[in-house]
Amino acid sequence: RTNKQRLWDSLMEMGEIGGTEKGGCCRLALTDLDKQGRDLFVRWCEAAGCTISVDKMGNIFARRAGQDDSLPPVVMGSHLDTQPTGGKFDGVYGVLAGLEVIRTLNDNGIETRAPIEASVWTNEEGSRFPPAMVSSGVFAGAFDLEYGLSRADLDGKTMGEELARIGYAGSAEVGGRPFKAFFEAHIEQGPILEAEDKRIGVVTDAQGQRWYEVTLTGQESHAGPTPMPTRRDALVGAARIVDMVNRIGMEHQPNACATVGLMQVFPNSRNVIPGQVFFTVDFRHPDAEVLARMDQALREGARRIVEDLRLEMDFEQIWHSPPVPFDRDCVASVRKATEALGLSHREMVSGAGHDACYISRVAPTSMIFVPCEDGISHNELERADADDLAAGCDVLLKAVLERAND
Amino acid sequence: RTNKQRLWDSLMEMGEIGGTEKGGCCRLALTDLDKQGRDLFVRWCEAAGCTISVDKMGNIFARRAGQDDSLPPVVMGSHLDTQPTGGKFDGVYGVLAGLEVIRTLNDNGIETRAPIEASVWTNEEGSRFPPAMVSSGVFAGAFDLEYGLSRADLDGKTMGEELARIGYAGSAEVGGRPFKAFFEAHIEQGPILEAEDKRIGVVTDAQGQRWYEVTLTGQESHAGPTPMPTRRDALVGAARIVDMVNRIGMEHQPNACATVGLMQVFPNSRNVIPGQVFFTVDFRHPDAEVLARMDQALREGARRIVEDLRLEMDFEQIWHSPPVPFDRDCVASVRKATEALGLSHREMVSGAGHDACYISRVAPTSMIFVPCEDGISHNELERADADDLAAGCDVLLKAVLERAND
Ligand SMILES: NC(=O)NCCC(=O)O
Ligand SMILES: NC(=O)NCCC(=O)O
């Protein structure tokens, strides 16, 4: 069994870095705060006897040697970056659960046949640098290194520049080495486990996602003397598309999600008709075909709206992450561990993307979910229960041991 | 006759302060650039023999003495601040036309019975510090001084602080002194004069305006695992209200204008359901009753929309500027001057608010419009013709002379 209190204390200590008044955490990827969080993780891992390596995307691997160190490692992990209104658990839990597994093995003097690694993946959230899961994506060959390092925030700063600035542009090649298995523990970020009073989600799949960037261009002009019929108001166009995105999501229930999360209005002055609006669209569905129909509806609907309003549109799908089926054996290891521990559980599909989604392309992978309060995350009020977190960590320990010793 | 070339050169020189690549001007109220523009105006006026005074709202008055200096002055003027995507003419023209009138009187050694003043009104645009026409409003008693100085930008900086910072917190009391008359020359900012090939707009009225600030609050949450039916997406609410604002404008044609110009989304991250959106609404109509009906439609419609989406709403009308009828005698002076100069003209209602709207509460007031290309302003492409600008300035000169000598 892992140490519930130690896991909790580590989560709380990490959560202070970027901690917010409302009890959440704002530690955007590759900021000074992200550096502080990484430094703390590295210190803890070194104290636990691990060897650290950092790759060119800033992914961190803390390795606990195995009896046969030539075997591929069993890897655990997730991410330390958060949303602007993030919580203390999303990502961080999967990282520190990995560390807790290593600490528990140390406490009990347990050796494993294969080495074990706890990992941190850079910029999973995709909030500062879109898209999400960039660095596990590079690791898995979904993106090339060039693409990863050139992702830029809204101020034009690139991941490459910011990695160098905070001292986490490592020298290891990104990917190209085998994992025996990869396990990611995470809060569910949805309401299902809590509603059904289950402790553990045995994650079998992750839904597909498509992300878009849209720029509408009309003509800025005076809000007073410019007659309505002659206007080309980019915000009216954006508003109609936001509403349509929402309807597309509702029309593809159950399971579809459709969100406009980011919008920038130009020139953003009260008495100026907006001349340009930039916004993003996030579509999700577990079924690739439904996701394709949603894509179709968006493209056709947006075209009609901008034609009506005589706007110009720049429309780009910037990311497509197809639905992911996790490895049957890894899923079975998680289920077995859960049952052996006598924990209530159910199978589930992940609504969020996770580093595990990309890693599953290059290694047998699965995930372990624990409940979070009201299913809320990407919110400062995100909360999880210490017992649930410890239970998920115990499942992780058991699944890892099985894989590392088989 | 005024000096066309000198007027144009002065406009171009002033337009360099904050000049943009696209040929426009970005000189927001009380920025360093606004200070530079004010300094240039003051230098020019002193060179033309004027005495400068600055009041506590930073309004500048450049006075050319009259034969009887105890008479109330005839005042000309407008504003030097611009929109973020402003042009070189909106406001600036009315200020420099006033200066050009004074320079022309000097050139010709003409004395007037009453003194003449060219004025600059602080923060007319209301873009940085809402509402619009704040300082002419304080001058006219529509707002008290406290209210004026405490207007704040989106960063929380107040007009009082910024006036002190740029050295334009003057010592003169704001208002409380009579004007014999007030004339404001301005580009039309609409398409009518150009469409009808008229040189001069004799402005009889200005339409009414209502400005609103709306904050919608829902709950930020993850765009992936949060089911559509349980969401409280503040941006979906804002989008529906933007669309409704546009429809209210269309339903009250002709003459109604309805605009959402500014919107801020929180936390503004691609994969987070927006938890809060702040936006503004700008309604205009020449008829106070129609404007009241638009207000009613907005309040009722917005309430329905937020109820549907289970959002909270903070809704405030932050400004109401009722329709303004200008002074019949001042309008007649403008018409007479126009006819005497043989210029084509028509009567018109101003679509924009102007400092003249407030000054008309405390002094006989009217306005002179000249055409602008495609009716476009609050846009870097705003353009006006040197001959039209000079024609408007000639009308101003004639109207001012009539009033100053009667
Ligand atoms: N787990 C998580 O919040 N990932 C961010 C990527 C996504 O939006 O799904
Ligand atoms: N003239 C002008 O652009 N005034 C700004 C105030 C308004 O929005 O009407």
Side-chain angles (χ1 to χ4, degrees):
Chain A
R1 289 288 171 111
T2 57
N3 184 328
K4 173 170 98 174
Q5 191 62 44
R6 181 170 55 193
L7 173 61
W8 182 260
D9 291 345
S10 298
L11 283 163
M12 292 306 107
E13 190 172 338
M14 183 63 81
E16 277 169 26
I17 302 172
T20 65
E21 269 179 32
K22 288 192 194 163
C25 191
C26 174
R27 195 169 55 231
L28 297 179
L30 307 187
T31 54
D32 291 349
L33 291 171
D34 189 14
K35 174 187 165 52
Q36 283 178 44
R38 289 162 171 265
D39 289 351
L40 179 60
F41 173 74
V42 166
R43 272 204 307 283
W44 278 339
C45 291
E46 285 174 343
C50 295
T51 320
I52 305 294
S53 76
V54 180
D55 73 18
K56 290 178 175 167
M57 286 303 300
N59 298 318
I60 308 174
F61 303 92
R63 184 180 178 99
R64 182 177 191 268
Q67 288 161 338
D68 181 352
D69 227 34
S70 69
L71 288 174
V74 175
V75 183
M76 308 163 289
S78 190
H79 59 97
L80 288 178
D81 67 316
T82 77
Q83 292 286 331
T85 55
K88 291 189 162 81
F89 306 98
D90 173 1
V92 192
Y93 169 56
V95 171
L96 297 185
L99 172 62
E100 178 54 35
V101 164
I102 290 176
R103 286 170 165 172
T104 302
L105 295 177
N106 289 348
D107 291 347
N108 296 281
I110 297 171
E111 292 192 350
T112 54
R113 218 162 75 76
I116 289 179
E117 295 185 12
S119 60
V120 173
W121 302 94
T122 299
N123 183 43
E124 189 269 354
E125 293 290 356
S127 176
R128 180 173 176 202
F129 303 99
M133 299 126 60
V134 174
S135 308
S136 49
V138 175
F139 190 94
F143 309 124
D144 60 29
L145 181 62
E146 185 65 32
Y147 174 89
L149 294 175
S150 62
R151 291 310 85 207
D153 66 13
L154 290 173
D155 296 330
K157 291 201 186 116
T158 65
M159 286 187 62
E161 285 159 24
E162 289 291 275
L163 276 169
R165 190 184 64 78
I166 67 163
Y168 276 90
S171 55
E173 291 308 321
V174 187
R177 66 182 179 107
F179 291 173
K180 208 157 183 323
F182 181 76
F183 292 102
E184 182 168 0
H186 210 282
I187 55 168
E188 177 197 343
Q189 309 185 276
I192 299 172
L193 291 175
E194 187 185 57
E196 302 186 2
D197 201 17
K198 296 268 158 59
R199 267 264 152 98
I200 299 292
V202 176
V203 187
T204 58
D205 299 84
Q207 62 183 348
Q209 309 192 38
R210 291 172 184 258
W211 282 17
Y212 306 84
E213 291 185 349
V214 187
T215 303
L216 301 185
T217 306
Q219 181 167 55
E220 56 263 19
S221 191
H222 198 303
T226 310
M228 297 294 292
T230 69
R231 294 179 174 207
R232 295 170 56 219
D233 185 330
L235 184 55
V236 172
R240 291 188 188 164
I241 296 178
V242 169
D243 192 33
M244 179 186 67
V245 162
N246 185 260
R247 287 180 207 283
I248 291 173
M250 293 303 249
E251 282 162 11
H252 293 84
Q253 290 303 308
N255 294 333
C257 284
T259 311
V260 175
L262 184 150
M263 181 176 285
Q264 292 181 308
V265 178
F266 181 82
N268 219 29
S269 182
R270 290 156 200 257
N271 43 358
V272 184
I273 298 161
Q276 194 162 76
V277 178
F278 171 81
F279 62 97
T280 61
V281 179
D282 173 320
F283 271 172
R284 313 205 180 194
H285 201 279
D287 180 336
E289 271 177 41
V290 180
L291 199 56
R293 283 205 294 279
M294 292 167 67
D295 173 272
Q296 194 66 16
L298 174 64
R299 287 173 195 272
E300 283 168 12
R303 199 172 47 236
R304 270 197 308 275
I305 288 168
V306 302
E307 271 173 22
D308 261 15
L309 295 167
R310 289 168 297 117
L311 301 172
E312 281 148 40
M313 175 164 68
D314 202 62
F315 181 101
E316 198 186 346
Q317 176 181 299
I318 60 148
W319 189 42
H320 180 197
S321 169
V324 175
F326 287 119
D327 179 71
R328 279 159 57 143
D329 294 338
C330 282
V331 172
S333 297
V334 170
R335 192 185 301 107
K336 222 171 83 186
T338 307
E339 284 165 357
L341 290 160
L343 297 166
S344 58
H345 62 279
R346 65 163 279 167
E347 298 202 340
M348 57 198 312
V349 175
S350 173
H354 294 284
D355 295 305
C357 297
Y358 279 134
I359 301 306
S360 76
R361 298 192 183 187
V362 290
T365 294
S366 77
M367 295 190 71
I368 301 156
F369 275 0
V370 296
C372 62
E373 201 175 301
D374 295 329
I376 284 177
S377 74
H378 288 193
N379 185 313
E380 292 164 81
L381 302 179
E382 175 188 288
R383 255 192 291 272
D385 178 78
D387 288 323
D388 293 339
L389 295 165
C393 197
D394 289 340
V395 172
L396 178 66
L397 171 64
K398 257 196 152 26
V400 165
L401 276 178
E402 184 197 26
R403 283 325 186 93
N405 290 326
D406 81 349
Chain B
R1 289 290 171 112
T2 58
N3 184 328
K4 173 170 102 176
Q5 192 60 45
R6 181 170 56 191
L7 173 61
W8 181 260
D9 291 344
S10 297
L11 283 164
M12 292 307 107
E13 190 172 338
M14 183 63 82
E16 278 168 26
I17 302 172
T20 66
E21 269 181 31
K22 288 191 192 162
C25 191
C26 174
R27 195 170 54 232
L28 296 180
L30 307 188
T31 55
D32 292 348
L33 291 171
D34 188 14
K35 175 188 164 51
Q36 283 178 44
R38 290 161 172 263
D39 288 350
L40 179 60
F41 172 74
V42 166
R43 274 204 306 283
W44 279 339
C45 291
E46 285 175 341
C50 296
T51 320
I52 305 295
S53 76
V54 180
D55 72 18
K56 290 178 176 169
M57 285 303 301
N59 299 316
I60 309 173
F61 303 91
R63 182 181 180 100
R64 183 177 189 268
Q67 289 160 339
D68 180 351
D69 226 33
S70 69
L71 289 174
V74 174
V75 184
M76 309 164 288
S78 189
H79 59 97
L80 288 176
D81 66 315
T82 78
Q83 291 287 332
T85 55
K88 292 191 162 78
F89 305 97
D90 173 1
V92 192
Y93 169 57
V95 171
L96 298 185
L99 171 63
E100 178 53 36
V101 163
I102 290 175
R103 286 170 164 172
T104 302
L105 295 177
N106 290 347
D107 291 349
N108 296 280
I110 297 172
E111 292 192 350
T112 54
R113 217 162 74 75
I116 288 179
E117 296 185 11
S119 62
V120 173
W121 302 94
T122 299
N123 183 43
E124 189 268 354
E125 293 290 357
S127 175
R128 181 173 176 202
F129 303 99
M133 299 126 62
V134 174
S135 307
S136 49
V138 175
F139 191 94
F143 308 124
D144 59 28
L145 181 62
E146 185 64 32
Y147 174 89
L149 293 176
S150 63
R151 291 310 86 207
D153 66 12
L154 290 174
D155 296 331
K157 292 200 185 116
T158 65
M159 286 186 66
E161 285 159 24
E162 289 292 273
L163 276 170
R165 190 183 66 79
I166 68 164
Y168 275 89
S171 56
E173 292 307 319
V174 188
R177 65 184 179 108
F179 293 174
K180 211 160 181 323
F182 181 75
F183 292 102
E184 181 168 359
H186 210 284
I187 56 168
E188 177 196 344
Q189 310 185 274
I192 300 171
L193 291 175
E194 188 186 57
E196 300 186 3
D197 202 17
K198 296 269 159 57
R199 268 265 152 98
I200 300 292
V202 176
V203 187
T204 58
D205 300 83
Q207 62 183 349
Q209 310 192 36
R210 290 174 184 257
W211 283 18
Y212 306 85
E213 291 185 349
V214 187
T215 303
L216 301 185
T217 306
Q219 180 166 55
E220 56 265 19
S221 191
H222 197 303
T226 310
M228 297 294 292
T230 70
R231 296 180 173 206
R232 295 170 57 218
D233 185 331
L235 184 55
V236 172
R240 292 188 188 163
I241 296 178
V242 169
D243 192 34
M244 179 185 68
V245 162
N246 185 260
R247 288 180 206 284
I248 291 173
M250 293 303 250
E251 281 161 12
H252 293 83
Q253 290 303 308
N255 294 333
C257 283
T259 310
V260 175
L262 184 151
M263 182 176 285
Q264 293 181 306
V265 178
F266 180 81
N268 219 29
S269 181
R270 292 157 198 255
N271 43 359
V272 183
I273 299 161
Q276 194 161 76
V277 179
F278 171 82
F279 62 97
T280 61
V281 179
D282 174 320
F283 272 172
R284 313 205 181 194
H285 201 279
D287 179 337
E289 270 178 43
V290 180
L291 199 55
R293 281 205 295 278
M294 292 166 68
D295 173 271
Q296 194 66 16
L298 174 64
R299 287 174 196 270
E300 282 168 13
R303 198 173 46 236
R304 269 197 308 275
I305 287 168
V306 302
E307 270 172 24
D308 260 16
L309 295 166
R310 290 166 298 119
L311 302 172
E312 280 148 42
M313 176 164 67
D314 202 61
F315 182 101
E316 198 186 348
Q317 177 180 301
I318 61 149
W319 189 42
H320 180 200
S321 169
V324 176
F326 287 119
D327 180 71
R328 278 158 59 141
D329 294 339
C330 283
V331 172
S333 296
V334 170
R335 191 186 302 105
K336 221 170 88 185
T338 306
E339 282 164 359
L341 289 160
L343 297 166
S344 59
H345 62 280
R346 64 163 279 165
E347 297 201 339
M348 57 198 313
V349 175
S350 174
H354 295 284
D355 295 305
C357 297
Y358 278 133
I359 302 306
S360 74
R361 298 191 182 188
V362 290
T365 295
S366 77
M367 295 191 69
I368 301 156
F369 275 179
V370 297
C372 62
E373 201 175 299
D374 295 329
I376 284 178
S377 75
H378 289 192
N379 184 313
E380 291 164 82
L381 301 179
E382 175 187 286
R383 256 191 290 270
D385 179 79
D387 288 323
D388 293 340
L389 295 165
C393 197
D394 289 340
V395 173
L396 179 65
L397 171 63
K398 257 198 152 29
V400 164
L401 276 178
E402 185 198 25
R403 282 327 187 88
N405 291 327
D406 82 350

